[in-house]
Amino acid sequence: VTEVALPVSFGKTVTLEGAPSEKYSAGGPASLTDGIHGSKKFADGRWLGFEGNDAAATIDLGKKTAIRSVTLGHLVNTGSWIFEPVEIAVETSGDGKKYAVALTKKFNAALWKQADGIREFSDVFPEVNARYVKVTVKNRGICPETHPGKGGKAWIFLDEISVE
């Protein structure tokens, strides 16, 4: 007997507010809830990459569900201009029209010199009943002044979003 615990978001419909880069579009929005994680090799076809832009993904859980945590996978590879987000916000809604902020996490943009690797942002919030979960990931926009690509467009790369 094998037991598998899947997040309530597994396989659910995802819509994006803005399109990822054509070169880094993975399997489209569905790749954010398919359970298949990208590797450190960002050209593996599993990552959604956003060049200079923020990313916003809304997951339709299909029905109101009690939820209390969100996990988001993102990549850091500053040599390839892929940075940690500067902010991650999670909002919930019962009807897809009116959203309430469940959590917001800001990152120190000045601390951009990090080791390359896959990162997971995970946080909990007071339990809510929601059908829709919107995750907004803010991009720094341009590479910092002390980066070799200063002034060029910064990237954010996203993968799995798990809602529990």
Side-chain angles (χ1 to χ4, degrees):
V1 174
T2 303
E3 285 188 35
V4 178
L6 296 172
V8 297
S9 54
F10 177 75
K12 298 298 192 256
T13 301
V14 180
T15 50
L16 297 174
E17 286 185 12
S21 165
E22 192 174 303
K23 186 176 179 182
Y24 300 106
S25 59
S31 63
L32 293 174
T33 58
D34 65 3
I36 303 170
H37 295 269
S39 69
K40 285 185 185 179
K41 296 178 182 178
F42 58 87
D44 66 3
R46 300 301 323 150
W47 294 95
L48 290 181
F50 296 84
E51 184 183 23
N53 299 318
D54 299 339
T58 302
I59 302 169
D60 181 352
L61 300 175
K63 63 180 181 177
K64 282 191 175 183
T65 305
I67 58 172
R68 61 179 199 82
S69 72
V70 169
T71 301
L72 168 70
H74 63 278
L75 183 68
V76 173
N77 185 325
T78 58
S80 296
W81 303 13
I82 304 169
F83 294 88
E84 180 175 64
V86 293
E87 184 178 310
I88 297 172
V90 177
E91 299 171 275
T92 60
S93 173
D95 61 7
K97 296 174 183 164
K98 184 179 178 187
Y99 283 84
V101 175
L103 68 91
T104 302
K105 168 72 175 175
K106 292 186 180 200
F107 299 87
N108 187 343
L111 302 177
W112 64 267
K113 294 179 183 180
Q114 300 176 13
D116 291 352
I118 298 168
R119 305 282 192 274
E120 254 189 11
F121 165 77
S122 187
D123 207 345
V124 297
F125 46 86
E127 187 174 290
V128 296
N129 284 317
R131 175 175 172 172
Y132 300 92
V133 178
K134 181 177 180 180
V135 179
T136 303
V137 183
K138 295 204 181 278
N139 188 334
R140 70 173 42 251
I142 59 170
C143 296
E145 284 294 315
T146 53
H147 185 271
K150 70 178 177 181
K153 290 184 180 178
W155 288 83
I156 49 173
F157 272 55
L158 309 177
D159 196 6
E160 290 302 298
I161 299 174
S162 298
V163 178
E164 297 191 48

PDB file of all heavy atoms in Angstrom, residues 58-65 67 90-102 125 128-135:
ATOM      1  N   THR A  58      -3.844  32.568 -10.963  1.00  0.00           N
ATOM      2  CA  THR A  58      -5.038  32.281 -10.180  1.00  0.00           C
ATOM      3  C   THR A  58      -5.407  30.819 -10.374  1.00  0.00           C
ATOM      4  O   THR A  58      -5.551  30.356 -11.512  1.00  0.00           O
ATOM      5  CB  THR A  58      -6.215  33.185 -10.608  1.00  0.00           C
ATOM      6  OG1 THR A  58      -5.813  34.551 -10.445  1.00  0.00           O
ATOM      7  CG2 THR A  58      -7.443  32.913  -9.755  1.00  0.00           C
ATOM      8  N   ILE A  59      -5.529  30.121  -9.255  1.00  0.00           N
ATOM      9  CA  ILE A  59      -5.888  28.709  -9.273  1.00  0.00           C
ATOM     10  C   ILE A  59      -7.357  28.574  -8.895  1.00  0.00           C
ATOM     11  O   ILE A  59      -7.789  29.118  -7.878  1.00  0.00           O
ATOM     12  CB  ILE A  59      -5.025  27.903  -8.273  1.00  0.00           C
ATOM     13  CG1 ILE A  59      -3.541  28.064  -8.609  1.00  0.00           C
ATOM     14  CG2 ILE A  59      -5.435  26.436  -8.265  1.00  0.00           C
ATOM     15  CD1 ILE A  59      -2.600  27.538  -7.556  1.00  0.00           C
ATOM     16  N   ASP A  60      -8.112  27.847  -9.709  1.00  0.00           N
ATOM     17  CA  ASP A  60      -9.514  27.545  -9.432  1.00  0.00           C
ATOM     18  C   ASP A  60      -9.555  26.159  -8.806  1.00  0.00           C
ATOM     19  O   ASP A  60      -9.290  25.158  -9.474  1.00  0.00           O
ATOM     20  CB  ASP A  60     -10.336  27.584 -10.722  1.00  0.00           C
ATOM     21  CG  ASP A  60     -11.817  27.310 -10.508  1.00  0.00           C
ATOM     22  OD1 ASP A  60     -12.220  26.936  -9.381  1.00  0.00           O
ATOM     23  OD2 ASP A  60     -12.577  27.455 -11.478  1.00  0.00           O
ATOM     24  N   LEU A  61      -9.872  26.102  -7.517  1.00  0.00           N
ATOM     25  CA  LEU A  61      -9.916  24.824  -6.808  1.00  0.00           C
ATOM     26  C   LEU A  61     -11.180  24.029  -7.130  1.00  0.00           C
ATOM     27  O   LEU A  61     -11.320  22.893  -6.684  1.00  0.00           O
ATOM     28  CB  LEU A  61      -9.802  25.056  -5.302  1.00  0.00           C
ATOM     29  CG  LEU A  61      -8.521  25.766  -4.840  1.00  0.00           C
ATOM     30  CD1 LEU A  61      -8.581  26.057  -3.354  1.00  0.00           C
ATOM     31  CD2 LEU A  61      -7.287  24.955  -5.190  1.00  0.00           C
ATOM     32  N   GLY A  62     -12.109  24.614  -7.885  1.00  0.00           N
ATOM     33  CA  GLY A  62     -13.306  23.908  -8.307  1.00  0.00           C
ATOM     34  C   GLY A  62     -14.492  24.061  -7.374  1.00  0.00           C
ATOM     35  O   GLY A  62     -15.636  24.024  -7.792  1.00  0.00           O
ATOM     36  N   LYS A  63     -14.204  24.211  -6.109  1.00  0.00           N
ATOM     37  CA  LYS A  63     -15.246  24.430  -5.099  1.00  0.00           C
ATOM     38  C   LYS A  63     -14.592  25.063  -3.889  1.00  0.00           C
ATOM     39  O   LYS A  63     -13.367  25.021  -3.730  1.00  0.00           O
ATOM     40  CB  LYS A  63     -15.928  23.119  -4.713  1.00  0.00           C
ATOM     41  CG  LYS A  63     -14.987  22.118  -4.051  1.00  0.00           C
ATOM     42  CD  LYS A  63     -15.690  20.833  -3.684  1.00  0.00           C
ATOM     43  CE  LYS A  63     -14.685  19.891  -3.014  1.00  0.00           C
ATOM     44  NZ  LYS A  63     -15.270  18.667  -2.575  1.00  0.00           N
ATOM     45  N   LYS A  64     -15.408  25.640  -3.021  1.00  0.00           N
ATOM     46  CA  LYS A  64     -14.848  26.230  -1.801  1.00  0.00           C
ATOM     47  C   LYS A  64     -14.206  25.129  -0.970  1.00  0.00           C
ATOM     48  O   LYS A  64     -14.793  24.067  -0.748  1.00  0.00           O
ATOM     49  CB  LYS A  64     -15.921  26.952  -0.991  1.00  0.00           C
ATOM     50  CG  LYS A  64     -16.263  28.307  -1.540  1.00  0.00           C
ATOM     51  CD  LYS A  64     -17.112  29.092  -0.565  1.00  0.00           C
ATOM     52  CE  LYS A  64     -17.335  30.499  -1.076  1.00  0.00           C
ATOM     53  NZ  LYS A  64     -18.098  31.293  -0.125  1.00  0.00           N
ATOM     54  N   THR A  65     -12.988  25.405  -0.547  1.00  0.00           N
ATOM     55  CA  THR A  65     -12.179  24.439   0.173  1.00  0.00           C
ATOM     56  C   THR A  65     -11.472  25.152   1.318  1.00  0.00           C
ATOM     57  O   THR A  65     -11.033  26.292   1.157  1.00  0.00           O
ATOM     58  CB  THR A  65     -11.119  23.835  -0.786  1.00  0.00           C
ATOM     59  OG1 THR A  65     -11.783  23.301  -1.935  1.00  0.00           O
ATOM     60  CG2 THR A  65     -10.319  22.736  -0.116  1.00  0.00           C
ATOM     61  N   ILE A  67      -8.445  26.134   3.238  1.00  0.00           N
ATOM     62  CA  ILE A  67      -7.011  26.193   2.945  1.00  0.00           C
ATOM     63  C   ILE A  67      -6.312  27.053   3.980  1.00  0.00           C
ATOM     64  O   ILE A  67      -6.918  27.916   4.608  1.00  0.00           O
ATOM     65  CB  ILE A  67      -6.731  26.740   1.527  1.00  0.00           C
ATOM     66  CG1 ILE A  67      -7.337  28.145   1.366  1.00  0.00           C
ATOM     67  CG2 ILE A  67      -7.269  25.784   0.473  1.00  0.00           C
ATOM     68  CD1 ILE A  67      -6.949  28.842   0.090  1.00  0.00           C
ATOM     69  N   VAL A  90      -0.442  36.471  -1.571  1.00  0.00           N
ATOM     70  CA  VAL A  90      -1.460  35.440  -1.773  1.00  0.00           C
ATOM     71  C   VAL A  90      -2.809  36.035  -1.389  1.00  0.00           C
ATOM     72  O   VAL A  90      -2.954  36.608  -0.313  1.00  0.00           O
ATOM     73  CB  VAL A  90      -1.169  34.182  -0.920  1.00  0.00           C
ATOM     74  CG1 VAL A  90      -2.281  33.152  -1.076  1.00  0.00           C
ATOM     75  CG2 VAL A  90       0.183  33.589  -1.280  1.00  0.00           C
ATOM     76  N   GLU A  91      -3.767  35.917  -2.306  1.00  0.00           N
ATOM     77  CA  GLU A  91      -5.125  36.392  -2.065  1.00  0.00           C
ATOM     78  C   GLU A  91      -6.091  35.235  -2.284  1.00  0.00           C
ATOM     79  O   GLU A  91      -5.822  34.345  -3.094  1.00  0.00           O
ATOM     80  CB  GLU A  91      -5.481  37.528  -3.024  1.00  0.00           C
ATOM     81  CG  GLU A  91      -4.593  38.750  -2.884  1.00  0.00           C
ATOM     82  CD  GLU A  91      -4.854  39.742  -3.985  1.00  0.00           C
ATOM     83  OE1 GLU A  91      -4.249  39.581  -5.062  1.00  0.00           O
ATOM     84  OE2 GLU A  91      -5.669  40.654  -3.775  1.00  0.00           O
ATOM     85  N   THR A  92      -7.217  35.267  -1.572  1.00  0.00           N
ATOM     86  CA  THR A  92      -8.219  34.215  -1.709  1.00  0.00           C
ATOM     87  C   THR A  92      -9.581  34.824  -2.026  1.00  0.00           C
ATOM     88  O   THR A  92      -9.850  35.977  -1.692  1.00  0.00           O
ATOM     89  CB  THR A  92      -8.319  33.372  -0.419  1.00  0.00           C
ATOM     90  OG1 THR A  92      -8.698  34.233   0.659  1.00  0.00           O
ATOM     91  CG2 THR A  92      -6.994  32.684  -0.101  1.00  0.00           C
ATOM     92  N   SER A  93     -10.425  34.020  -2.674  1.00  0.00           N
ATOM     93  CA  SER A  93     -11.756  34.483  -3.037  1.00  0.00           C
ATOM     94  C   SER A  93     -12.718  33.301  -3.114  1.00  0.00           C
ATOM     95  O   SER A  93     -12.332  32.200  -3.505  1.00  0.00           O
ATOM     96  CB  SER A  93     -11.707  35.179  -4.400  1.00  0.00           C
ATOM     97  OG  SER A  93     -13.005  35.505  -4.851  1.00  0.00           O
ATOM     98  N   GLY A  94     -13.957  33.574  -2.768  1.00  0.00           N
ATOM     99  CA  GLY A  94     -14.992  32.562  -2.903  1.00  0.00           C
ATOM    100  C   GLY A  94     -15.665  32.612  -4.255  1.00  0.00           C
ATOM    101  O   GLY A  94     -16.165  31.613  -4.757  1.00  0.00           O
ATOM    102  N   ASP A  95     -15.644  33.800  -4.907  1.00  0.00           N
ATOM    103  CA  ASP A  95     -16.375  33.972  -6.156  1.00  0.00           C
ATOM    104  C   ASP A  95     -15.503  34.369  -7.354  1.00  0.00           C
ATOM    105  O   ASP A  95     -16.001  34.486  -8.471  1.00  0.00           O
ATOM    106  CB  ASP A  95     -17.482  35.012  -5.978  1.00  0.00           C
ATOM    107  CG  ASP A  95     -16.958  36.395  -5.594  1.00  0.00           C
ATOM    108  OD1 ASP A  95     -15.725  36.613  -5.596  1.00  0.00           O
ATOM    109  OD2 ASP A  95     -17.796  37.262  -5.284  1.00  0.00           O
ATOM    110  N   GLY A  96     -14.220  34.601  -7.143  1.00  0.00           N
ATOM    111  CA  GLY A  96     -13.333  34.994  -8.235  1.00  0.00           C
ATOM    112  C   GLY A  96     -13.408  36.468  -8.592  1.00  0.00           C
ATOM    113  O   GLY A  96     -12.774  36.912  -9.542  1.00  0.00           O
ATOM    114  N   LYS A  97     -14.190  37.234  -7.826  1.00  0.00           N
ATOM    115  CA  LYS A  97     -14.334  38.665  -8.096  1.00  0.00           C
ATOM    116  C   LYS A  97     -13.753  39.508  -6.971  1.00  0.00           C
ATOM    117  O   LYS A  97     -12.992  40.434  -7.203  1.00  0.00           O
ATOM    118  CB  LYS A  97     -15.806  39.016  -8.311  1.00  0.00           C
ATOM    119  CG  LYS A  97     -16.381  38.352  -9.537  1.00  0.00           C
ATOM    120  CD  LYS A  97     -17.855  38.596  -9.653  1.00  0.00           C
ATOM    121  CE  LYS A  97     -18.375  37.822 -10.868  1.00  0.00           C
ATOM    122  NZ  LYS A  97     -19.804  37.680 -10.876  1.00  0.00           N
ATOM    123  N   LYS A  98     -14.136  39.184  -5.752  1.00  0.00           N
ATOM    124  CA  LYS A  98     -13.659  39.929  -4.591  1.00  0.00           C
ATOM    125  C   LYS A  98     -12.608  39.075  -3.871  1.00  0.00           C
ATOM    126  O   LYS A  98     -12.900  37.962  -3.441  1.00  0.00           O
ATOM    127  CB  LYS A  98     -14.827  40.241  -3.652  1.00  0.00           C
ATOM    128  CG  LYS A  98     -14.443  41.079  -2.470  1.00  0.00           C
ATOM    129  CD  LYS A  98     -15.637  41.383  -1.589  1.00  0.00           C
ATOM    130  CE  LYS A  98     -15.184  42.192  -0.383  1.00  0.00           C
ATOM    131  NZ  LYS A  98     -16.261  42.379   0.579  1.00  0.00           N
ATOM    132  N   TYR A  99     -11.402  39.629  -3.767  1.00  0.00           N
ATOM    133  CA  TYR A  99     -10.286  38.907  -3.154  1.00  0.00           C
ATOM    134  C   TYR A  99      -9.886  39.557  -1.834  1.00  0.00           C
ATOM    135  O   TYR A  99      -9.989  40.766  -1.677  1.00  0.00           O
ATOM    136  CB  TYR A  99      -9.076  38.898  -4.094  1.00  0.00           C
ATOM    137  CG  TYR A  99      -9.208  37.898  -5.220  1.00  0.00           C
ATOM    138  CD1 TYR A  99      -9.903  38.209  -6.374  1.00  0.00           C
ATOM    139  CD2 TYR A  99      -8.641  36.639  -5.108  1.00  0.00           C
ATOM    140  CE1 TYR A  99     -10.037  37.300  -7.411  1.00  0.00           C
ATOM    141  CE2 TYR A  99      -8.766  35.718  -6.136  1.00  0.00           C
ATOM    142  CZ  TYR A  99      -9.464  36.053  -7.274  1.00  0.00           C
ATOM    143  OH  TYR A  99      -9.597  35.144  -8.283  1.00  0.00           O
ATOM    144  N   ALA A 100      -9.418  38.729  -0.918  1.00  0.00           N
ATOM    145  CA  ALA A 100      -8.887  39.200   0.370  1.00  0.00           C
ATOM    146  C   ALA A 100      -7.442  38.730   0.482  1.00  0.00           C
ATOM    147  O   ALA A 100      -7.113  37.593   0.127  1.00  0.00           O
ATOM    148  CB  ALA A 100      -9.715  38.635   1.524  1.00  0.00           C
ATOM    149  N   VAL A 101      -6.574  39.608   0.976  1.00  0.00           N
ATOM    150  CA  VAL A 101      -5.164  39.259   1.145  1.00  0.00           C
ATOM    151  C   VAL A 101      -5.025  38.248   2.276  1.00  0.00           C
ATOM    152  O   VAL A 101      -5.490  38.476   3.387  1.00  0.00           O
ATOM    153  CB  VAL A 101      -4.319  40.516   1.438  1.00  0.00           C
ATOM    154  CG1 VAL A 101      -2.873  40.142   1.727  1.00  0.00           C
ATOM    155  CG2 VAL A 101      -4.404  41.505   0.282  1.00  0.00           C
ATOM    156  N   ALA A 102      -4.389  37.119   1.971  1.00  0.00           N
ATOM    157  CA  ALA A 102      -4.133  36.098   2.982  1.00  0.00           C
ATOM    158  C   ALA A 102      -2.737  36.271   3.575  1.00  0.00           C
ATOM    159  O   ALA A 102      -2.527  36.076   4.766  1.00  0.00           O
ATOM    160  CB  ALA A 102      -4.278  34.700   2.385  1.00  0.00           C
ATOM    161  N   PHE A 125      -1.363  30.777   6.819  1.00  0.00           N
ATOM    162  CA  PHE A 125      -2.217  31.910   7.167  1.00  0.00           C
ATOM    163  C   PHE A 125      -3.451  31.354   7.855  1.00  0.00           C
ATOM    164  O   PHE A 125      -3.692  30.137   7.814  1.00  0.00           O
ATOM    165  CB  PHE A 125      -2.564  32.732   5.923  1.00  0.00           C
ATOM    166  CG  PHE A 125      -2.983  31.921   4.724  1.00  0.00           C
ATOM    167  CD1 PHE A 125      -4.303  31.532   4.547  1.00  0.00           C
ATOM    168  CD2 PHE A 125      -2.049  31.542   3.773  1.00  0.00           C
ATOM    169  CE1 PHE A 125      -4.690  30.783   3.447  1.00  0.00           C
ATOM    170  CE2 PHE A 125      -2.431  30.794   2.667  1.00  0.00           C
ATOM    171  CZ  PHE A 125      -3.757  30.418   2.501  1.00  0.00           C
ATOM    172  N   VAL A 128      -9.034  29.699   5.694  1.00  0.00           N
ATOM    173  CA  VAL A 128     -10.158  30.343   5.005  1.00  0.00           C
ATOM    174  C   VAL A 128     -10.801  29.332   4.069  1.00  0.00           C
ATOM    175  O   VAL A 128     -10.161  28.375   3.638  1.00  0.00           O
ATOM    176  CB  VAL A 128      -9.720  31.588   4.184  1.00  0.00           C
ATOM    177  CG1 VAL A 128      -9.174  32.667   5.078  1.00  0.00           C
ATOM    178  CG2 VAL A 128      -8.709  31.226   3.112  1.00  0.00           C
ATOM    179  N   ASN A 129     -12.069  29.541   3.768  1.00  0.00           N
ATOM    180  CA  ASN A 129     -12.760  28.752   2.754  1.00  0.00           C
ATOM    181  C   ASN A 129     -12.729  29.561   1.472  1.00  0.00           C
ATOM    182  O   ASN A 129     -13.265  30.667   1.424  1.00  0.00           O
ATOM    183  CB  ASN A 129     -14.198  28.451   3.169  1.00  0.00           C
ATOM    184  CG  ASN A 129     -14.257  27.359   4.209  1.00  0.00           C
ATOM    185  OD1 ASN A 129     -13.553  26.361   4.101  1.00  0.00           O
ATOM    186  ND2 ASN A 129     -15.080  27.546   5.215  1.00  0.00           N
ATOM    187  N   ALA A 130     -12.104  29.023   0.448  1.00  0.00           N
ATOM    188  CA  ALA A 130     -11.964  29.748  -0.807  1.00  0.00           C
ATOM    189  C   ALA A 130     -12.005  28.788  -1.987  1.00  0.00           C
ATOM    190  O   ALA A 130     -11.595  27.634  -1.877  1.00  0.00           O
ATOM    191  CB  ALA A 130     -10.662  30.528  -0.825  1.00  0.00           C
ATOM    192  N   ARG A 131     -12.494  29.288  -3.088  1.00  0.00           N
ATOM    193  CA  ARG A 131     -12.458  28.518  -4.336  1.00  0.00           C
ATOM    194  C   ARG A 131     -11.269  28.959  -5.188  1.00  0.00           C
ATOM    195  O   ARG A 131     -10.686  28.166  -5.910  1.00  0.00           O
ATOM    196  CB  ARG A 131     -13.758  28.716  -5.119  1.00  0.00           C
ATOM    197  CG  ARG A 131     -13.713  28.031  -6.459  1.00  0.00           C
ATOM    198  CD  ARG A 131     -15.002  28.084  -7.219  1.00  0.00           C
ATOM    199  NE  ARG A 131     -14.775  27.550  -8.564  1.00  0.00           N
ATOM    200  CZ  ARG A 131     -15.728  27.320  -9.430  1.00  0.00           C
ATOM    201  NH1 ARG A 131     -16.989  27.562  -9.116  1.00  0.00           N
ATOM    202  NH2 ARG A 131     -15.436  26.857 -10.623  1.00  0.00           N
ATOM    203  N   TYR A 132     -10.917  30.237  -5.108  1.00  0.00           N
ATOM    204  CA  TYR A 132      -9.839  30.790  -5.931  1.00  0.00           C
ATOM    205  C   TYR A 132      -8.678  31.252  -5.059  1.00  0.00           C
ATOM    206  O   TYR A 132      -8.890  31.870  -4.021  1.00  0.00           O
ATOM    207  CB  TYR A 132     -10.351  31.980  -6.751  1.00  0.00           C
ATOM    208  CG  TYR A 132     -11.477  31.611  -7.681  1.00  0.00           C
ATOM    209  CD1 TYR A 132     -12.801  31.732  -7.276  1.00  0.00           C
ATOM    210  CD2 TYR A 132     -11.215  31.130  -8.957  1.00  0.00           C
ATOM    211  CE1 TYR A 132     -13.842  31.388  -8.120  1.00  0.00           C
ATOM    212  CE2 TYR A 132     -12.256  30.783  -9.812  1.00  0.00           C
ATOM    213  CZ  TYR A 132     -13.564  30.911  -9.381  1.00  0.00           C
ATOM    214  OH  TYR A 132     -14.597  30.564 -10.224  1.00  0.00           O
ATOM    215  N   VAL A 133      -7.475  30.965  -5.527  1.00  0.00           N
ATOM    216  CA  VAL A 133      -6.256  31.417  -4.848  1.00  0.00           C
ATOM    217  C   VAL A 133      -5.402  32.114  -5.897  1.00  0.00           C
ATOM    218  O   VAL A 133      -5.057  31.527  -6.928  1.00  0.00           O
ATOM    219  CB  VAL A 133      -5.479  30.244  -4.221  1.00  0.00           C
ATOM    220  CG1 VAL A 133      -4.195  30.744  -3.569  1.00  0.00           C
ATOM    221  CG2 VAL A 133      -6.342  29.489  -3.232  1.00  0.00           C
ATOM    222  N   LYS A 134      -5.093  33.385  -5.624  1.00  0.00           N
ATOM    223  CA  LYS A 134      -4.272  34.176  -6.545  1.00  0.00           C
ATOM    224  C   LYS A 134      -2.909  34.408  -5.908  1.00  0.00           C
ATOM    225  O   LYS A 134      -2.815  34.890  -4.780  1.00  0.00           O
ATOM    226  CB  LYS A 134      -4.958  35.512  -6.835  1.00  0.00           C
ATOM    227  CG  LYS A 134      -4.203  36.398  -7.800  1.00  0.00           C
ATOM    228  CD  LYS A 134      -5.014  37.658  -8.056  1.00  0.00           C
ATOM    229  CE  LYS A 134      -4.336  38.593  -9.012  1.00  0.00           C
ATOM    230  NZ  LYS A 134      -5.151  39.796  -9.242  1.00  0.00           N
ATOM    231  N   VAL A 135      -1.863  34.059  -6.643  1.00  0.00           N
ATOM    232  CA  VAL A 135      -0.493  34.261  -6.178  1.00  0.00           C
ATOM    233  C   VAL A 135       0.163  35.275  -7.114  1.00  0.00           C
ATOM    234  O   VAL A 135       0.255  35.048  -8.319  1.00  0.00           O
ATOM    235  CB  VAL A 135       0.302  32.941  -6.165  1.00  0.00           C
ATOM    236  CG1 VAL A 135       1.734  33.176  -5.710  1.00  0.00           C
ATOM    237  CG2 VAL A 135      -0.385  31.903  -5.282  1.00  0.00           C
TER     238      VAL A 135
END
